[in-house]
C-alpha cells in the first residue's frame, strides 16, 4: 500500500532563518507531488507541484522553493523565513497516470515563525 | 475569477442529518471533491462527483448539479467523530484543484 510521510511535524523558527520540510512517498512510482499551505480559516493554497524528477511548477511567487531530487521525495525550502510564512504545510501525492483530484496527504507540518 | 463558497460553520445534533452546501464558479469543470479534515490533521478524501446526481457512500452522500454550479454533502446519523471541517474542491478546466475555505461542523450531544 502507498504511504506518505512528511517531517518535521512541528517547527518554531525565528524570522530570517532557513527552512527545510521533507516529504517521501512509498508504494507508488512517478506520483504527482504537491506542497500546500493552509492558513487558519482559509482554503488550501497550492505552493508547488511536480509531475516528475526536477520538474517543479510554482503557483505563488514568494520566498519559498521546492525540489524533487528523487522520484518519491519532495522538499520545501526557504533561505530566509518571513512572519507570513507561518502556517500548516501539507505534502500530498496523486496518481501520475491520470488527472485526479484524489489527493493523499501527509501528516502536515505546523510552522511558527517568530 | 474562480471561486468556491461554503458556509464557515454549522452546528448539528448527534444522530441527526446535516447538509453542507458548496457553490462554485470555475473556468471549466473536471469534477468536484469533498474532503474531511479533523482539527490539526491532514484532509482525507470523502467523495468525488463528475456527473449530475447523488453518490452515496455509507452515511455520507454527495450531490452535484453542474448547471447550477452547486454541490452538497449530506451526513446522516451524525456521530461525535464527524466533528471536523469539510472541504469542497473543484478540479477546473486546467486540472488544477480550487479549494473552498471549509465548513467547520460542530456536533452536539
Amino acid at each position: 500500500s502507498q504511504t506518505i510521510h512528511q517531517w518535521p511535524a512541528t517547527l518554531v523558527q525565528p524570522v530570517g532563518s532557513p527552512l527545510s520540510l521533507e516529504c517521501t512517498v512509498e508504494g507508488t512510482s512517478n506520483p504527482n507531488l504537491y506542497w500546500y499551505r493552509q492558513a487558519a480559516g482559509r482554503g488550501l493554497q497550492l505552493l508547488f507541484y511536480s509531475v516528475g524528477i526536477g520538474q517543479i511548477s510554482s503557483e505563488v511567487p514568494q520566498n519559498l522553493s521546492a525540489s524533487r531530487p528523487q522520484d518519491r521525495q519532495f522538499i520545501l525550502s526557504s533561505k530566509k523565513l518571513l512572519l507570513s510564512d507561518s502556517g500548516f504545510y501539507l505534502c500530498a501525492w496523486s496518481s501520475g497516470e491520470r488527472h485526479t483530484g484524489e489527493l493523499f496527504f501527509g501528516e502536515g507540518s505546523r510552522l511558527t515563525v517568530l | 475569477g474562480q471561486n468556491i463558497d461554503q458556509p464557515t460553520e454549522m452546528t448539528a445534533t448527534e444522530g441527526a442529518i446535516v447538509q453542507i452546501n458548496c457553490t462554485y464558479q470555475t473556468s471549466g469543470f473536471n469534477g468536484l471533491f469533498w474532503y474531511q479534515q479533523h482539527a490539526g490533521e491532514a484532509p482525507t478524501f470523502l467523495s468525488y462527483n463528475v456527473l449530475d446526481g447523488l453518490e452515496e457512500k455509507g452515511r455520507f452522500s454527495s450531490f452535484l448539479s453542474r448547471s447550477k454550479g452547486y454541490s452538497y454533502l449530506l451526513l446522516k446519523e451524525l456521530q461525535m467523530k464527524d466533528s471536523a471541517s469539510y472541504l469542497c474542491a473543484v478540479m477546473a478546466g486546467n486540472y488544477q484543484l480550487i479549494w473552498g475555505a471549509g465548513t467547520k461542523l460542530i456536533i452536539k450531544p
Side-chain angles (χ1 to χ4, degrees):
Chain A
S1 64
Q2 301 90 359
T3 60
I4 179 170
H5 182 50
Q6 65 176 101
W7 67 92
T10 306
L11 205 57
V12 180
Q13 292 286 102
V15 169
S17 64
L19 171 73
S20 180
L21 301 178
E22 189 165 341
C23 173
T24 59
V25 180
E26 296 295 332
T28 187
S29 58
N30 198 32
N32 297 324
L33 296 173
Y34 309 82
W35 277 112
Y36 281 93
R37 179 169 59 202
Q38 187 176 36
R42 302 185 67 178
L44 291 171
Q45 179 187 33
L46 180 63
L47 301 175
F48 300 95
Y49 72 93
S50 171
V51 298
I53 296 174
Q55 301 178 62
I56 309 293
S57 295
S58 174
E59 293 297 306
V60 182
Q62 55 201 333
N63 67 320
L64 299 173
S65 62
S67 62
R68 185 171 177 174
Q70 300 180 45
D71 181 46
R72 291 169 290 179
Q73 183 184 26
F74 206 23
I75 299 171
L76 181 70
S77 304
S78 174
K79 293 182 179 178
K80 288 186 177 182
L81 285 168
L82 307 173
L83 285 174
S84 57
D85 291 324
S86 293
F88 191 47
Y89 289 81
L90 290 157
C91 180
W93 74 272
S94 68
S95 171
E97 296 176 352
R98 55 188 175 91
H99 290 293
T100 172
E102 184 174 357
L103 302 181
F104 301 90
F105 288 88
E107 306 93 331
S109 300
R110 187 163 302 282
L111 171 65
T112 303
V113 182
L114 302 175
Chain B
Q2 310 203 88
N3 193 51
I4 309 286
D5 287 314
Q6 49 181 133
T8 302
E9 186 174 297
M10 299 182 69
T11 302
T13 304
E14 189 177 16
I17 300 174
V18 70
Q19 176 175 311
I20 302 174
N21 296 324
C22 170
T23 58
Y24 64 89
Q25 299 96 35
T26 58
S27 300
F29 178 84
N30 285 298
L32 186 142
F33 301 80
W34 284 97
Y35 281 78
Q36 181 189 59
Q37 185 178 24
H38 285 100
E41 299 181 7
T44 55
F45 170 79
L46 282 180
S47 68
Y48 166 63
N49 294 69
V50 67
L51 300 176
D52 290 352
L54 189 69
E55 294 283 341
E56 297 186 78
K57 190 184 293 186
R59 295 189 297 114
F60 293 6
S61 303
S62 56
F63 172 83
L64 173 66
S65 169
R66 288 172 297 171
S67 62
K68 296 181 179 178
Y70 167 70
S71 172
Y72 67 72
L73 180 69
L74 191 72
L75 290 74
K76 303 176 183 177
E77 302 170 14
L78 286 170
Q79 302 175 10
M80 297 303 293
K81 67 178 182 180
D82 297 330
S83 292
S85 288
Y86 291 86
L87 311 179
C88 175
V90 173
M91 180 168 279
N94 61 355
Y95 295 99
Q96 294 287 6
L97 273 178
I98 311 298
W99 293 84
T103 299
K104 182 179 180 180
L105 177 63
I106 299 169
I107 309 296
K108 295 186 174 180

